[in-house]
């Protein structure tokens, strides 16, 4: 006898589906505020007289020299190819050929946009000199100082806690490996960059395959963005990517990756002291993803200024000190760091902060900090 039971309809988890389409952590307001903080942070950083010392002038000169060296390093392969082509032209006329120009231009494009060579050399310097870490700490001290000066007429009990006095108490280890070994940290950095570069080259090469090649970059864009912006916007990016020229799609995709890498490097002095676990760090970044993208893409564009890119990198590091005071709570003494880390994985004041005007960014103060039932900065109310 035939069964009258209807086949069960597949269960749809509405909460998971809603989560897939959630764009709250990557909304346009957060991105715009991040871009605004690029300019505000740079302005605040350049107001710090502490960075205009003989030591920092020396570092600035080294940075400019480093910028020249980076451009030369990037140019070496292209110069080598040009010399080879010149040698070939002695025996074979290339006047009517176009492949030689395409080869040289293609190599330049791969170095600049696919492999992100300039960013690689700039970020590599962090592991050989403490200048950027020192610049971050000097800048966060300056942010604390200017905050106190700005609010010296206010009730001390209503002011936020300080960042520098407690951050300076933490031991410094690599934010990813949690190791103090330079060799290990450099090895991990090279591994990460080599892995990203290889993946980029494979995807870029696959985009030239017949028939399926035109879908490779749009598919990579969809896969990259669906976790960040949700399925809806990612689908739009996929559809747009099919009709966009390959060159612009590569620039778009790599700019996103580069801005993320840049932000992770700029925030390294903070994470080198507040040692989040891998999962905690992932949640920390995700809850602030839109704002960090806006901040990172702004400086990524400025970093592409020839020769001055390394100097701008220093300004970006100093600006990140200002940024961290807006997207995280003042850290407690090291003994309370575990509770603090747990409280920071979600950016609780996001909507309040995004609603503030640029002139009133210091207005968001809550007492006591959410990671402790008691105020860990009793000295403020005692003054």
């Amino acid at each position: 006898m035939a069964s009258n039971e209807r086949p069960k309809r597949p269960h749809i988890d509405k909460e998971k589906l809603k989560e897939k389409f959630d764009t709250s952590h990557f909304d346009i307001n957060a991105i715009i505020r991040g871009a605004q903080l690029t300019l505000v942070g740079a302005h605040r950083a350049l107001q710090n007289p502490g960075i205009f010392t003989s030591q920092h002038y020396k570092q600035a000169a080294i940075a400019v020299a480093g910028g020249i060296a980076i451009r030369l390093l990037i140019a070496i392969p292209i110069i080598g190819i040009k010399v080879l082509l010149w040698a070939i032209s002695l025996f074979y006329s290339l006047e009517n050929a176009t492949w030689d120009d395409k080869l040289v231009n293609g190599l330049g494009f791969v170095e600049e946009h696919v492999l992100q060579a300039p960013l690689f050399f700039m970020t590599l310097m962090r592991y050989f000199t403490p200048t950027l870490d020192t610049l971050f700490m000097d800048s966060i001290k300056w942010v604390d100082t200017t905050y106190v000066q700005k609010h010296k007429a206010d009730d001390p009990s209503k002011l936020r806690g300080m960042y520098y006095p407690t951050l300076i108490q933490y031991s410094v280890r690599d934010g990813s490996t949690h190791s103090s070994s330079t060799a290990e940290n450099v090895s991990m950095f090279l591994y990460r960059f080599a892995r990203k570069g290889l993946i980029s080259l494979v995807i870029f090469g696959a985009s030239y395959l017949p028939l399926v090649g035109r879908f490779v970059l749009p598919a990579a864009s969809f896969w990259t963005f669906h976790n960040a912006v949700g399925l809806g916007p990612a689908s739009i990016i996929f559809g747009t990517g099919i009709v966009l020229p390959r060159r612009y799609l590569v620039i778009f995709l790599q700019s996103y990756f580069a801005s993320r890498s840049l932000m992770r490097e700029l925030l390294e002095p903070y994470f080198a002291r507040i040692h989040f676990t891998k999962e905690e760090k992932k949640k920390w970044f995700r809850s602030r993803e839109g704002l960090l993208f806006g901040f990172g893409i702004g400086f990524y564009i400025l970093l592409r200024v020839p020769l001055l890119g390394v100097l701008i990198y220093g300004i970006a590091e100093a600006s990140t000190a200002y940024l961290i005071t807006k997207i995280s709570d003042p850290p407690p003494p090291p003994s309370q760091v575990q509770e603090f880390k747990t409280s920071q994985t979600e950016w609780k004041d996001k909507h309040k902060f995004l609603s503030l005007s640029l002139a009133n960014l210091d207005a968001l103060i809550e007492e006591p900090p959410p990671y402790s039932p008691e105020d860990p900065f009793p000295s403020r109310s005692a003054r």
Side-chain angles (χ1 to χ4, degrees):
M1 184 174 65
S3 174
N4 293 326
E5 292 184 5
R6 293 182 179 180
K8 291 184 178 180
R9 298 172 63 181
H11 174 69
I12 298 176
D13 191 328
K14 293 183 179 180
E15 288 301 319
K16 285 188 176 181
L17 188 62
K18 184 179 179 181
E19 184 180 343
K20 290 290 185 181
F21 282 88
D22 179 32
T23 61
S24 60
H25 57 283
F26 206 84
D27 62 89
I28 189 65
N29 289 332
I31 296 173
I32 292 173
R33 177 48 55 92
Q36 291 171 338
L37 287 175
T38 299
L39 302 176
V40 175
H43 178 254
R44 292 286 184 94
L46 291 173
Q47 287 180 317
N48 181 6
I51 68 173
F52 298 103
T53 62
S54 58
Q55 179 63 24
H56 283 102
Y57 277 128
K58 179 181 177 182
Q59 294 298 331
I62 293 173
V64 174
I68 296 173
I70 287 172
R71 301 310 301 183
L72 290 175
L73 284 171
I74 294 170
I76 285 174
I78 298 177
I79 293 173
I81 293 294
K82 286 183 176 180
V83 170
L84 179 61
L85 291 173
W86 172 79
I88 293 174
S89 68
L90 295 177
F91 305 97
Y92 177 77
S93 177
L94 298 177
E95 289 184 5
N96 298 323
T98 58
W99 62 268
D100 54 333
D101 292 329
K102 289 181 179 179
L103 176 62
V104 172
N105 293 334
L107 274 176
F109 180 76
V110 168
E111 284 184 333
E112 289 277 348
H113 296 288
V114 179
L115 295 179
Q116 299 289 342
L119 183 62
F120 167 74
F121 287 114
M122 278 187 273
T123 53
L124 182 62
M125 291 192 304
R126 173 186 301 282
Y127 297 92
F128 298 100
T129 173
T131 303
L132 292 172
D133 186 85
T134 303
L135 186 59
F136 175 87
M137 292 302 292
D138 287 348
S139 298
I140 211 163
K141 185 178 182 180
W142 167 251
V143 172
D144 280 347
T145 302
T146 54
Y147 176 81
V148 172
Q149 290 175 347
K150 182 179 179 180
H151 297 276
K152 60 184 177 182
D154 297 342
D155 182 357
S157 64
K158 295 182 179 180
L159 301 184
R160 68 159 173 81
M162 298 293 101
Y163 287 77
Y164 179 81
T166 45
L167 273 179
I168 202 70
Q169 298 176 31
Y170 286 82
S171 60
V172 179
R173 299 196 300 269
D174 185 84
S176 298
T177 64
H178 295 169
S179 170
S180 57
S181 169
T182 301
E184 181 180 351
N185 297 335
V186 171
S187 299
M188 285 302 300
F189 170 77
L190 293 176
Y191 168 76
R192 290 197 305 268
F193 220 99
R195 180 175 174 271
K196 291 176 183 177
L198 182 60
I199 292 173
S200 297
L201 280 176
V202 169
I203 292 174
F204 183 67
S207 69
Y208 284 90
L209 292 173
L211 300 179
V212 298
R214 62 179 299 185
F215 299 104
V216 170
L217 287 173
S221 301
F222 175 84
W223 181 257
T224 298
F225 283 95
H226 85 280
N227 283 327
V229 301
L231 289 175
S235 300
I236 295 173
I237 292 172
F238 175 81
T240 307
I242 293 177
V243 297
L244 273 179
R246 180 188 293 108
R247 179 183 182 87
Y248 297 113
L249 194 54
V250 169
I251 292 174
F252 169 73
L253 193 59
Q254 289 300 91
S255 295
Y256 172 74
F257 281 124
S259 67
R260 288 184 60 179
S261 298
L262 175 62
M263 279 313 308
R264 289 182 180 274
E265 293 300 325
L266 291 176
L267 286 165
E268 178 61 24
Y270 178 74
F271 288 112
R273 291 169 171 82
I274 310 297
H275 306 134
F276 287 84
T277 65
K278 185 177 180 180
E279 188 60 30
E280 288 171 340
K281 195 173 179 181
K282 181 179 179 181
K283 290 179 179 178
W284 191 97
F285 272 97
R286 182 168 176 79
S287 68
R288 299 159 175 83
E289 196 160 17
L291 185 136
L292 293 177
F293 173 73
F295 187 86
I297 197 67
F299 272 115
Y300 172 70
I301 293 170
L302 294 174
L303 285 175
R304 301 189 66 80
V305 176
L307 305 183
L308 298 179
V310 181
L311 191 60
I312 294 172
Y313 192 99
I315 297 173
E317 188 64 83
S319 303
T320 305
Y322 175 74
L323 173 72
I324 205 69
T325 66
K326 302 306 171 190
I327 61 175
S328 70
D329 295 320
S335 60
Q336 300 179 27
V337 70
Q338 192 56 50
E339 295 83 359
F340 173 74
K341 290 192 300 179
T342 303
S343 73
Q344 298 302 292
T345 53
E346 290 296 327
W347 187 15
K348 300 178 180 65
D349 295 327
K350 173 185 174 180
H351 298 293
K352 293 180 182 178
F353 178 71
L354 295 181
S355 65
L356 295 174
S357 66
L358 284 177
N360 200 32
L361 292 180
D362 290 335
L364 191 61
I365 304 296
E366 291 189 358
E367 297 286 348
Y371 55 83
S372 175
E374 298 178 358
D375 186 355
F377 305 99
S379 58
R380 288 177 296 163
S381 55
R383 284 182 293 178

